[in-house]
DNA sequence: GTAAATTAAATTGTGTGCAATTTAATTGCT
DNA sequence: AGCAATTAAATTGCACACAATTTAATTTAC
C-alpha cells in the first residue's frame, strides 16, 4: 500500500516548479509591461537579439514551443512592429522571423532585466545556478528519451 | 555597460524553470489522460483528497490561482461528476467544493503517479528536494513581499 | 515525370492563467 | 437602521500552450 503522504500537495515536487514558473512570469511583468511585451514574447526577442534571423521551427526548437503557440505570438510581435515575418524564397513553407529596427532597439531597454529579476528572488547566485542546472538536467533527460 | 551575455537565452535562469514547468505538465499527461483530468485539475483534486471540502478561495490560496482560473476549471470538474459546487448557507458569496464519491475514488488510481513521475525525471532524490526547497524559498520570499 | 510521403507553418478546438471588472452578499460605520 | 466599504465568486477579455488537423510546398520513390 502506497503511503498517503505521496498525494499531499506539500509533498509534490512538481507543484512548486509549476507555481514558481507562474510566479516568475508574474515578476517579469513589472519590467516587460513597460516594454509592452509578454514574457513569452520576451523569450522570442532574446533569441532574435542573439541570432537576428530565425525560422519558426528554429525558434520552436530553442524555446520548446510549437507553431500553434508561436504563430499567433509572432503575428502579435509583427503587429507591434518588433519583427518581420517573411516567407522564404528558397522554400515557401518556411517563414523567417527577423528583427525590425524597433525590435533591435528594445534590447537596450531590456538589458537590465535579468539582473533586476535576480534581485527579486531572494536566493544566492549559487542557489540560482543549482536550480538552473537541475532544471536543465531534467529537460535534457527528457529531450533524449523523446527522440529515442 | 552591462555585458551582452546577460541577454542570451542559455544564460537565463528563469527560462529553464518556465520550460521545465511545461515539460512537467506534459509528462503528467501520460498518467492523467487515463483519468481524464488535466494537471491543474489534478492539483485541485490533490487538495480535496487531503481536505475533503474547500472554498474557491481556499483552493486559490493553496494553489496560488485566482477564481478566474478556478471557476471554469471547477465547473469542468463538476461536469465530470468529480466534485460538487455548493453555495454556502452561512455566507452566500462562498462556494464550497467537495468531492463526489467518484472524485474520492479517483485517489486510488492516482496513488502511483508521484512515484512514477519521479522516475521519469532522471534526477536523484536529493536533487529533487534541492529543487523543491529553492523553489519554495523563492515563492515564500515573494509571498512575504507582496503582503508587506 | 508523376504520385506518394514528408515537412513547415497555419488553423481549429480546448483548457488554462491573469488583469480588470461586475454581481451579489456581507461587514463596518454612523 | 441605512448606507458605504469590503469581500467571494463570476464574468469579460486577452495571451498563451498543446493536440489534432489542414494547407501548401518540398522531397522521395518509382
Amino acid at each position: 500500500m502506497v503511503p498517503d503522504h505521496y498525494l499531499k500537495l506539500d509533498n509534490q515536487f512538481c507543484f512548486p516548479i509549476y507555481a514558481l514558473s507562474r510566479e516568475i512570469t508574474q515578476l517579469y511583468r513589472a519590467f516587460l509591461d513597460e516594454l509592452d511585451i509578454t514574457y513569452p514574447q520576451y523569450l522570442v526577442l532574446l533569441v532574435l537579439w542573439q541570432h537576428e534571423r530565425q525560422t519558426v521551427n528554429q525558434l520552436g526548437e530553442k524555446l520548446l514551443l510549437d507553431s500553434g503557440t508561436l504563430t499567433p505570438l509572432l503575428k502579435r510581435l509583427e503587429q507591434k512592429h518588433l519583427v518581420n515575418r517573411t516567407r522564404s524564397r528558397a522554400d515557401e513553407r518556411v517563414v523567417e522571423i527577423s528583427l525590425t529596427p524597433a525590435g533591435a532597439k528594445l534590447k537596450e531597454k531590456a538589458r537590465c532585466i535579468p539582473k533586476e529579476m535576480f534581485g527579486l528572488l531572494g536566493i544566492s547566485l549559487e542557489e540560482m545556478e543549482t536550480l538552473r542546472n537541475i532544471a536543465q538536467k531534467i529537460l535534457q533527460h527528457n529531450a533524449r528519451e523523446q527522440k529515442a
Side-chain angles (χ1 to χ4, degrees), chain A:
Chain A
M1 187 56 195
V2 183
D4 240 20
H5 70 251
Y6 277 148
L7 285 177
K8 288 188 174 172
L9 186 66
D10 285 347
N11 295 331
Q12 303 301 306
F13 140 76
C14 298
F15 171 67
I17 302 299
Y18 168 76
L20 178 57
S21 173
R22 292 187 291 105
E23 181 68 26
I24 283 168
T25 302
Q26 182 97 283
L27 293 174
Y28 262 101
R29 283 198 55 173
F31 305 107
L32 298 177
D33 274 356
E34 291 180 28
L35 307 188
D36 189 31
I37 55 175
T38 63
Y39 179 67
Q41 288 171 7
Y42 168 70
L43 294 176
V44 167
L45 290 173
L46 279 178
V47 176
L48 291 173
W49 288 328
Q50 189 176 356
H51 293 293
E52 279 284 333
R53 179 179 294 268
Q54 297 276 290
T55 67
V56 177
N57 205 16
Q58 286 171 324
L59 283 172
E61 282 172 351
K62 290 184 170 61
L63 299 174
L64 309 176
L65 292 169
D66 67 12
S67 79
T69 303
L70 282 174
T71 293
L73 186 155
L74 292 168
K75 282 181 175 178
R76 280 187 291 273
L77 278 179
E78 186 179 40
Q79 282 200 325
K80 296 180 199 234
H81 303 295
L82 298 179
V83 304
N84 288 313
R85 292 170 60 251
T86 318
R87 282 226 171 248
S88 166
R89 283 265 188 85
D91 179 347
E92 288 187 33
R93 296 170 301 179
V94 174
V95 172
E96 297 187 322
I97 312 295
S98 56
L99 287 168
T100 65
K105 199 169 179 181
L106 215 52
K107 180 177 179 180
E108 189 57 29
K109 294 194 188 176
R111 71 186 196 288
C112 59
I113 292 181
K115 206 164 185 186
E116 303 220 13
M117 269 299 302
F118 174 67
L120 292 181
L121 300 176
I123 59 172
S124 68
L125 202 57
E126 267 195 356
E127 283 172 314
M128 182 189 83
E129 289 185 355
T130 299
L131 200 56
R132 183 179 62 189
N133 291 339
I134 302 180
Q136 283 175 340
K137 187 172 176 181
I138 300 174
L139 288 169
Q140 277 157 24
H141 178 80
N142 284 284
R144 194 187 315 126
E145 285 199 12
Q146 277 172 17
K147 286 175 183 169

